Amino acid sequence: MIRTPAAFLTDGEVRRVHEASLEILEQVGLLVRNARAREIFARHGGQVEAGGENVRLPRAVVERYRAGIPPKFTFRARDPELDRTVPDDAPVVISGSSAPDMVDPATGIARRALAADIARIARLVDQLPNYDIFSVSTLADDAPPAFFSVTRLYAALKYCRKPVRISGPPEELDSILKLAHIIAGGERAYMERPFITHHYCPCVSPLTMDYDSTATLIYYAERGLPGHPTLVPNAGLTSPLTLAGTLVQGNAEFLAAVVLEQMVRPGKATIYSSLPTVADMRTGAYAPGAIETGMLFMGVAQMARFYGVPCGGYIGLSNAKVNDAQSGFETGMSGVAALLSGNHLFNMAGLLDALMSFDFAKAVIDDEIVAMLRRLQRGLELSEESFALDVIREVGPGGMFADHLHTLERMRTTGFLPEIADRDPRQGWIEKGGLDAQGRAMLRVRDILTRDAPSLFSPDVDARLRREFTGMVAAEFAPPEGWSRPPDEALSDRAERRRRRLAQQAEA
Amino acid sequence: MSSDLAALPLEELLEQIQDNLYGGNVEPVVAGVHELLRRGLTPYDALTQGLIAGMDVVGEDFRTGKLFVPQVLMAAKAMKGGMEVLRPLLAETGAPRIGTLVIGTVKGDIHDIGKNLVGMMMEGAGFQVVNLGINTDVEKFLHAVREHAADILGMSALLTTTMPYMRVVIQALKESGLREKLIVLVGGAPLNADFAKSIGADAYCRDAAKAVETAKRLMAEKNGTPRA
């Protein structure tokens, strides 16, 4: 484990960031577009500009409400075994969400994502061992506007057992709940185990709360359903072009959003979730893959620790369009910075081109990057026993460790054994087809997507959903067009070896 | 200052205006434009030989990465200052219209940074820009298009839930008989060219520079004076 999180700020500086955020909320205030939010702020001590939309939050009000945030947040699944809690289970990994496009697995060309893609992605996330939560990774271009989120949720919950996170427009909030109730077998059953976590971005930087996402926050908080905001300041465009200024403004926006949550429902759990970026001022390009995002996450983690709130966000994104070196180093570097600094929730995986497109191979590669982060989290695991002084004494100078029982017992656990990273000698690598990480990841994708994926809905529930939401796209899982189980023996051997290895690990 | 300007040969005066545009210095650009007019240049010549020639260099250096976004925005502000002097005179003298852009973020959406960048860069290209802000509904768009006799309508959305509203606006333009004379440009992160085509827009612009380039091209076609 990481005993001392990596930190840029002293305790005094953390306090100063907090003070500066309070100063912003008290003196500059926020533009609150949503009228109900203004009413709620006003009723609880916020100062709403007469006839206007500006809301100032006195420091005492902010301090009172933020103190009520609980220290943990749980993502629930239908099966309690798959529940995940931050910070206890950190790093908790959630797939990247809501990309409009999809890199077509057959052609390699980006196109609009469809409901059928979500069914495949749901299955992939279900099967990849390092993802804890499925945030519905793409939109569905073929979904009718009235059932936009319902179509996405249907496919997600039909093929992924893990907790599901989604955001939806105000017009669909009732439908989303209805779908949840049908799947759970009634409202009461759902309220006991709400397996959908809601997500909203109520703050549009700088210092503005919007209409719709703010309405969503209020809706779910009122009903006691799990949800959390994400804050996304973009230095140079929507926040000052300094990392400190962006940290402070983003922190003020976080406080505004969670204070509203607490005003609606005292004691509501939440997450300090963020995606702070620095714009590339050469063109204004959005650059979530930049190292500054990883650095800002280090600051965010310090602030979250100060508040006693679990934290994380969209960590490990990339601007790369394909699975090249850039996509790896951007995801990896920010991931390491965020992990070492004590972030809990890693909303990463599967997205290329700055959240614009989902890529199956990227999801598989990221699964492995996450496995490496989990290994990093375990640390050096120092103990008298792990020094292995007895073994060193026994083997002695010039001896051999490889054939020792001590080594045998640890050969699968001490070092993370990658599936995607290649460690063959060059000639061996050539003999196996000379594939790069993208090529090896696609083999894994093919392996998962050409197996049968059982529906998690009973026929009765499925029929009721289709009746209730006539017109939604009820996606069925099918392998990508032209894909079938490959006859290639090497691949089946490899898949079979993996299956046996996983079974072995499960036994151990 | 004006006496210094008065002493400059025309070539040097034009160069100085262009340097000041490049540097984003509003007052000197405005003073320079006044001086050009004092010397009897037509407003159209002052515009093309002074301001537009200067902004072409800015655009070129932005495209090649020499200038950064804040520098281009400063230059656009200086351009806007010069245009404010020239615009009424251009109208009086019947010079070819650069064009008027009505722009807004569509209903339900309050993301406006990209849209504002487009507005500022369009001002930098000499367009008159009417920025309707955020959460703009059909009535507001239609009213502004009529009131300002707009040549171009720009719509922006960041949310996939709000971008379909662009289709609603275009439909309303058609029903009001406004669509035919209007150039409709759309932009925003989740959009693409196919979407623009499917809703009946004239073009999708992936960024502010593209928006300016497209607006100039379509405006020239509209005026029947294709640019080289």
Side-chain angles (χ1 to χ4, degrees), chain A residues 22-34:
Chain A
L22 291 177
E23 204 174 300
I24 292 170
L25 292 173
E26 190 167 59
Q27 293 172 18
V28 182
L30 295 107
L31 206 52
V32 179
R33 301 287 190 186
N34 184 294

PDB file of all heavy atoms in Angstrom, chain A residues 22-34:
ATOM      1  N   LEU A  22     -13.645  29.309  -0.644  1.00  0.00           N
ATOM      2  CA  LEU A  22     -14.730  29.932   0.124  1.00  0.00           C
ATOM      3  C   LEU A  22     -14.884  31.397  -0.269  1.00  0.00           C
ATOM      4  O   LEU A  22     -15.999  31.910  -0.394  1.00  0.00           O
ATOM      5  CB  LEU A  22     -14.431  29.832   1.629  1.00  0.00           C
ATOM      6  CG  LEU A  22     -14.481  28.429   2.250  1.00  0.00           C
ATOM      7  CD1 LEU A  22     -14.098  28.500   3.723  1.00  0.00           C
ATOM      8  CD2 LEU A  22     -15.852  27.797   2.089  1.00  0.00           C
ATOM      9  N   GLU A  23     -13.730  32.038  -0.473  1.00  0.00           N
ATOM     10  CA  GLU A  23     -13.738  33.446  -0.864  1.00  0.00           C
ATOM     11  C   GLU A  23     -14.478  33.625  -2.200  1.00  0.00           C
ATOM     12  O   GLU A  23     -15.283  34.543  -2.359  1.00  0.00           O
ATOM     13  CB  GLU A  23     -12.275  33.879  -1.009  1.00  0.00           C
ATOM     14  CG  GLU A  23     -11.993  35.332  -0.863  1.00  0.00           C
ATOM     15  CD  GLU A  23     -10.478  35.561  -0.884  1.00  0.00           C
ATOM     16  OE1 GLU A  23      -9.769  35.016  -0.007  1.00  0.00           O
ATOM     17  OE2 GLU A  23     -10.013  36.256  -1.805  1.00  0.00           O
ATOM     18  N   ILE A  24     -14.201  32.726  -3.147  1.00  0.00           N
ATOM     19  CA  ILE A  24     -14.878  32.792  -4.452  1.00  0.00           C
ATOM     20  C   ILE A  24     -16.386  32.622  -4.270  1.00  0.00           C
ATOM     21  O   ILE A  24     -17.184  33.384  -4.820  1.00  0.00           O
ATOM     22  CB  ILE A  24     -14.334  31.702  -5.402  1.00  0.00           C
ATOM     23  CG1 ILE A  24     -12.892  31.996  -5.793  1.00  0.00           C
ATOM     24  CG2 ILE A  24     -15.204  31.585  -6.658  1.00  0.00           C
ATOM     25  CD1 ILE A  24     -12.196  30.860  -6.537  1.00  0.00           C
ATOM     26  N   LEU A  25     -16.772  31.624  -3.483  1.00  0.00           N
ATOM     27  CA  LEU A  25     -18.202  31.335  -3.321  1.00  0.00           C
ATOM     28  C   LEU A  25     -18.917  32.470  -2.596  1.00  0.00           C
ATOM     29  O   LEU A  25     -20.081  32.769  -2.868  1.00  0.00           O
ATOM     30  CB  LEU A  25     -18.393  30.019  -2.561  1.00  0.00           C
ATOM     31  CG  LEU A  25     -17.950  28.769  -3.331  1.00  0.00           C
ATOM     32  CD1 LEU A  25     -18.017  27.532  -2.443  1.00  0.00           C
ATOM     33  CD2 LEU A  25     -18.798  28.570  -4.580  1.00  0.00           C
ATOM     34  N   GLU A  26     -18.204  33.100  -1.671  1.00  0.00           N
ATOM     35  CA  GLU A  26     -18.829  34.153  -0.866  1.00  0.00           C
ATOM     36  C   GLU A  26     -18.853  35.483  -1.607  1.00  0.00           C
ATOM     37  O   GLU A  26     -19.818  36.235  -1.532  1.00  0.00           O
ATOM     38  CB  GLU A  26     -18.068  34.303   0.452  1.00  0.00           C
ATOM     39  CG  GLU A  26     -18.759  35.187   1.469  1.00  0.00           C
ATOM     40  CD  GLU A  26     -18.118  35.036   2.855  1.00  0.00           C
ATOM     41  OE1 GLU A  26     -16.914  35.297   2.988  1.00  0.00           O
ATOM     42  OE2 GLU A  26     -18.828  34.635   3.781  1.00  0.00           O
ATOM     43  N   GLN A  27     -17.773  35.774  -2.356  1.00  0.00           N
ATOM     44  CA  GLN A  27     -17.657  37.115  -2.943  1.00  0.00           C
ATOM     45  C   GLN A  27     -18.024  37.186  -4.424  1.00  0.00           C
ATOM     46  O   GLN A  27     -18.606  38.166  -4.871  1.00  0.00           O
ATOM     47  CB  GLN A  27     -16.238  37.636  -2.736  1.00  0.00           C
ATOM     48  CG  GLN A  27     -15.952  37.879  -1.259  1.00  0.00           C
ATOM     49  CD  GLN A  27     -14.490  38.201  -1.006  1.00  0.00           C
ATOM     50  OE1 GLN A  27     -13.773  38.565  -1.919  1.00  0.00           O
ATOM     51  NE2 GLN A  27     -14.061  38.057   0.238  1.00  0.00           N
ATOM     52  N   VAL A  28     -17.666  36.161  -5.180  1.00  0.00           N
ATOM     53  CA  VAL A  28     -17.997  36.161  -6.612  1.00  0.00           C
ATOM     54  C   VAL A  28     -19.340  35.450  -6.822  1.00  0.00           C
ATOM     55  O   VAL A  28     -20.185  35.908  -7.566  1.00  0.00           O
ATOM     56  CB  VAL A  28     -16.903  35.447  -7.438  1.00  0.00           C
ATOM     57  CG1 VAL A  28     -17.243  35.490  -8.927  1.00  0.00           C
ATOM     58  CG2 VAL A  28     -15.544  36.076  -7.175  1.00  0.00           C
ATOM     59  N   GLY A  29     -19.494  34.338  -6.155  1.00  0.00           N
ATOM     60  CA  GLY A  29     -20.738  33.568  -6.273  1.00  0.00           C
ATOM     61  C   GLY A  29     -20.807  32.792  -7.565  1.00  0.00           C
ATOM     62  O   GLY A  29     -19.849  32.723  -8.341  1.00  0.00           O
ATOM     63  N   LEU A  30     -21.958  32.176  -7.782  1.00  0.00           N
ATOM     64  CA  LEU A  30     -22.173  31.384  -8.997  1.00  0.00           C
ATOM     65  C   LEU A  30     -23.409  31.879  -9.715  1.00  0.00           C
ATOM     66  O   LEU A  30     -24.332  32.386  -9.087  1.00  0.00           O
ATOM     67  CB  LEU A  30     -22.439  29.913  -8.665  1.00  0.00           C
ATOM     68  CG  LEU A  30     -21.359  29.093  -8.033  1.00  0.00           C
ATOM     69  CD1 LEU A  30     -21.733  28.859  -6.584  1.00  0.00           C
ATOM     70  CD2 LEU A  30     -21.218  27.787  -8.766  1.00  0.00           C
ATOM     71  N   LEU A  31     -23.399  31.670 -11.026  1.00  0.00           N
ATOM     72  CA  LEU A  31     -24.592  31.900 -11.815  1.00  0.00           C
ATOM     73  C   LEU A  31     -25.377  30.596 -11.736  1.00  0.00           C
ATOM     74  O   LEU A  31     -24.901  29.565 -12.201  1.00  0.00           O
ATOM     75  CB  LEU A  31     -24.151  32.170 -13.245  1.00  0.00           C
ATOM     76  CG  LEU A  31     -25.025  32.994 -14.148  1.00  0.00           C
ATOM     77  CD1 LEU A  31     -25.401  34.306 -13.503  1.00  0.00           C
ATOM     78  CD2 LEU A  31     -24.262  33.263 -15.448  1.00  0.00           C
ATOM     79  N   VAL A  32     -26.542  30.615 -11.116  1.00  0.00           N
ATOM     80  CA  VAL A  32     -27.323  29.387 -10.990  1.00  0.00           C
ATOM     81  C   VAL A  32     -28.534  29.503 -11.916  1.00  0.00           C
ATOM     82  O   VAL A  32     -29.475  30.245 -11.643  1.00  0.00           O
ATOM     83  CB  VAL A  32     -27.756  29.142  -9.528  1.00  0.00           C
ATOM     84  CG1 VAL A  32     -28.588  27.877  -9.419  1.00  0.00           C
ATOM     85  CG2 VAL A  32     -26.526  29.041  -8.638  1.00  0.00           C
ATOM     86  N   ARG A  33     -28.481  28.785 -13.031  1.00  0.00           N
ATOM     87  CA  ARG A  33     -29.541  28.898 -14.045  1.00  0.00           C
ATOM     88  C   ARG A  33     -30.827  28.223 -13.602  1.00  0.00           C
ATOM     89  O   ARG A  33     -31.909  28.656 -13.950  1.00  0.00           O
ATOM     90  CB  ARG A  33     -29.061  28.251 -15.352  1.00  0.00           C
ATOM     91  CG  ARG A  33     -27.789  28.863 -15.924  1.00  0.00           C
ATOM     92  CD  ARG A  33     -28.066  30.208 -16.500  1.00  0.00           C
ATOM     93  NE  ARG A  33     -26.918  30.722 -17.259  1.00  0.00           N
ATOM     94  CZ  ARG A  33     -26.884  31.933 -17.767  1.00  0.00           C
ATOM     95  NH1 ARG A  33     -27.902  32.756 -17.601  1.00  0.00           N
ATOM     96  NH2 ARG A  33     -25.822  32.337 -18.443  1.00  0.00           N
ATOM     97  N   ASN A  34     -30.679  27.130 -12.875  1.00  0.00           N
ATOM     98  CA  ASN A  34     -31.839  26.335 -12.481  1.00  0.00           C
ATOM     99  C   ASN A  34     -32.579  27.035 -11.332  1.00  0.00           C
ATOM    100  O   ASN A  34     -32.025  27.259 -10.257  1.00  0.00           O
ATOM    101  CB  ASN A  34     -31.361  24.938 -12.062  1.00  0.00           C
ATOM    102  CG  ASN A  34     -32.515  24.018 -11.734  1.00  0.00           C
ATOM    103  OD1 ASN A  34     -33.235  24.236 -10.766  1.00  0.00           O
ATOM    104  ND2 ASN A  34     -32.682  22.989 -12.547  1.00  0.00           N
TER     105      ASN A  34
END
